[in-house]
Amino acid sequence: MAAKEKAFWLDTVDIPAPTPREFPQGVDVAVIGAGFTGLSASRTLARSGAKVAVFDSQTVGWGASSRNGGMVLTGLKLPAATLIARYGKEATARMYAASLESIDLVEKLVREENIACDFSRTGHLEIACKPRHFDDFRRSAEIIARYFGHQQRLIPKDQLQSEVGSAIYHGGLVDDASAGLNPARFVAGLARAGEGAGAAIFERSHVDEIQREGAQGWKIATARGTLRAKNVLVATSGYTSRVTPALQKKIIPIGSYIIVTEILPEKLAAELSPRNRMIYDSKNYLYYYRLTPDRRMLFGGRAAFFPETSSTIRLSAEILRRGMLTVYPQLREAKIEYVWGGTLDFAFDIMPHAGQLDGLHFSLGYAGHGVGMSTYLGDKIAQSILSGRDENPFAAISFPGAPLNLYNGRPWFLPAAGLWYKLLDWLT
Ligand SMILES: Cc1cc2nc3c(=O)[nH]c(=O)nc-3n(C[C@H](O)[C@H](O)[C@H](O)COP(=O)(O)OP(=O)(O)OC[C@H]3O[C@@H](n4cnc5c(N)ncnc54)[C@H](O)[C@@H]3O)c2cc1C
């Protein structure tokens, strides 16, 4: 039987359609995008009494939020040393602390809102593809302990079998604070929580145009009708489009793909991932993998750089299966039952950005590290809309566009970038 072209998680939950509501004439905040960012923000706003409407072109969680690996990770995409060199120790410490707080926030939401999404502090394992990457892990763990007071554990090559049933790696770095969850169930729970607090969610309501109207507000044209909003939050991640051209020019959409096997025998699953960690390797063109709660292997990677289409998904499935077998030859007979892709949002500096641009609030640029961070920054941006003060640690950093302004939202350079990263993986 051919693999289903569908996110595995969506077969574990029916994300309920939002309660039908009358289309509003005016709101305090219009949120564009019903993923983790937009829904987390809408919950916080509605709980404070703001009138909120969330619009999605498709359905709740349709974007990356229901299609990801469900890894809720400490840290940012860039290594700590790079961040300190760029932003200094204090600013980096605040950003790192935000990554830890983001996991606490997810845990708190799961508990407070009773979201049955298999949240579990399994910890993550970063795994070295080359001996020198293990040396980098040692330096990174030292920096993180010294400057951010957070402990991680090095696992030398000869002890790695206790963490992963693969012989190809050169050591690992464990962080027990990271967690795993079922993202489709989490996004469904966030939508329910937002609605429960009073937010209105409108599916199949593409936002076509946002226009300034006087000093105080905005006129927003959607597929369902037009409304006025005092504030707008853009939470469109890798699906940011010409509707917000200034933001589109700052975000590169990059495809990421996942395959999921059939349910594995208990003994084999325990051999592949004895501690059930969220695992990712040290390459630029990285693999990330984990067991699902029902004991399948979920294996993802940036097999093609382009955003997902049916053909990039099929092609990526073959590339990923070959990759999975180099890590785990034990899976040679395992059937692939699911394959899908989604779009990541990379800023040119590979950092999350949350603040205001031309009066529009936004939170974007999670670079594949967004389950916790988008939930956290959605909440923070909502607080800043309510209080008028941008206090998240990413609001203060500059949000660069392309060098020489050579990008209009069409990522013409992705094939070259893909080759460049493959070359880097070979050389470094
Ligand atoms: C395959 C894959 C694996 C990943 N794995 C992980 C992981 O394991 N751990 C991790 O931390 N991160 C991971 N990520 C990243 C993480 O999923 C994202 O950072 C996060 O979900 C972003 O949430 P969001 O709400 O900002 O955006 P999204 O969930 O992408 O939502 C954006 C929404 O905006 C809507 N939209 C766009 N334009 C408009 C418009 N004009 N009008 C109305 N609606 C609009 C879209 O329909 C979409 O639903 C992964 C991403 C992918 C694609």
Side-chain angles (χ1 to χ4, degrees):
M1 201 179 64
K4 277 196 201 178
E5 212 175 285
K6 174 183 187 185
F8 157 73
W9 307 115
L10 292 173
D11 264 354
T12 69
V13 60
D14 280 325
I15 300 180
T19 313
R21 307 262 193 142
E22 206 175 306
F23 194 85
Q25 295 208 318
V27 292
D28 295 318
V29 189
V31 177
I32 311 175
F36 298 146
T37 305
L39 294 171
S40 168
S42 73
R43 174 184 175 273
T44 304
L45 289 161
R47 277 164 65 102
S48 294
K51 188 170 180 198
V52 189
V54 184
F55 300 98
D56 202 289
S57 312
Q58 309 287 335
T59 49
V60 164
W62 175 89
S65 295
S66 66
R67 311 178 193 208
N68 58 71
M71 303 187 177
V72 199
L73 303 170
T74 60
L76 303 178
K77 177 73 185 161
L78 291 175
T82 309
L83 294 171
I84 289 176
R86 204 190 272 177
Y87 302 111
K89 285 184 202 125
E90 274 178 28
T92 306
R94 283 198 297 277
M95 295 180 201
Y96 197 86
S99 83
L100 301 180
E101 269 179 57
S102 77
I103 306 176
D104 294 341
L105 175 65
V106 170
E107 187 169 34
K108 179 170 155 255
L109 290 172
V110 166
R111 200 178 49 242
E112 280 183 8
E113 303 289 354
N114 280 318
I115 305 177
C117 63
D118 299 305
F119 177 91
S120 167
R121 291 262 186 179
T122 54
H124 83 240
L125 170 71
E126 189 176 0
I127 200 159
C129 296
K130 297 187 179 174
R132 66 146 74 106
H133 296 174
F134 186 63
D135 298 335
D136 295 341
F137 288 178
R138 179 175 293 114
R139 277 191 290 277
S140 171
E142 276 167 17
I143 290 174
I144 287 170
R146 186 174 338 137
Y147 298 123
F148 316 146
H150 182 70
Q151 303 300 323
Q152 298 175 318
R153 272 182 299 117
L154 286 164
I155 313 287
K157 186 175 168 64
D158 62 357
Q159 291 168 28
L160 208 51
Q161 286 297 314
S162 66
E163 289 284 344
V164 61
S166 172
I168 66 169
Y169 295 109
H170 298 270
L173 184 63
V174 163
D175 192 324
D176 289 309
S178 291
L181 54 63
N182 174 328
R185 289 189 179 185
F186 182 55
V187 80
L190 277 185
R192 178 172 44 78
E195 281 201 296
I201 303 175
F202 297 92
E203 295 187 330
R204 308 213 183 279
S205 301
H206 184 72
V207 171
D208 299 316
E209 200 178 7
I210 308 168
Q211 275 178 298
R212 235 316 166 208
E213 205 178 54
Q216 291 304 314
W218 303 87
K219 184 173 156 196
I220 299 161
T222 80
R224 289 282 181 92
T226 298
L227 78 157
R228 261 91 193 161
K230 291 186 194 141
N231 296 279
V232 178
L233 168 58
V234 182
T236 47
S237 185
Y239 302 90
T240 302
S241 68
R242 275 180 308 181
V243 175
T244 51
L247 288 169
Q248 187 192 22
K249 278 183 168 182
K250 290 176 184 277
I251 289 293
I252 312 162
I254 291 186
S256 188
Y257 299 84
I258 293 181
I259 54 175
V260 165
T261 66
E262 62 187 328
I263 295 175
L264 302 173
E266 224 166 296
K267 197 159 158 255
L268 176 58
E271 176 193 323
L272 300 178
S273 181
R275 295 178 200 270
N276 201 14
R277 303 275 192 215
M278 305 293 118
I279 304 176
Y280 58 93
D281 74 27
S282 57
K283 296 194 300 299
N284 290 297
Y285 233 88
L286 87 174
Y287 294 137
Y288 51 92
Y289 46 99
R290 59 170 289 184
L291 294 172
T292 60
D294 66 349
R295 264 196 350 258
R296 301 162 187 271
M297 176 53 65
L298 176 155
F299 196 90
R302 226 148 283 153
F305 252 53
F306 284 111
E308 74 280 4
T309 61
S310 203
S311 71
T312 59
I313 289 173
R314 289 282 148 198
L315 181 69
S316 301
E318 283 166 34
I319 296 172
L320 285 176
R321 181 165 181 276
R322 284 200 297 275
M324 183 177 79
L325 295 183
T326 60
V327 176
Y328 289 129
Q330 305 94 308
L331 287 174
R332 188 158 298 283
E333 302 301 325
K335 282 202 222 63
I336 304 300
E337 293 197 340
Y338 294 87
V339 39
W340 72 93
T343 305
L344 306 173
D345 52 342
F346 274 70
F348 282 88
D349 58 357
I350 317 186
M351 290 297 289
H353 293 278
Q356 282 190 63
L357 186 66
D358 303 334
L360 293 175
H361 299 272
F362 65 86
S363 180
L364 306 159
Y366 306 114
H369 225 82
V371 174
M373 196 49 89
S374 59
T375 309
Y376 170 87
L377 285 178
D379 173 58
K380 287 287 173 217
I381 280 288
Q383 288 178 28
S384 76
I385 293 173
L386 292 166
S387 70
R389 288 190 310 276
D390 256 334
E391 282 173 349
N392 84 75
F394 305 95
I397 64 175
S398 76
F399 190 176
L404 307 174
N405 216 5
L406 281 173
Y407 176 58
N408 63 359
R410 275 177 205 280
W412 52 268
F413 43 78
L414 281 190
L419 287 175
W420 171 245
Y421 281 119
K422 277 192 176 147
L423 182 69
L424 277 185
D425 281 334
W426 185 61
L427 291 173
T428 60

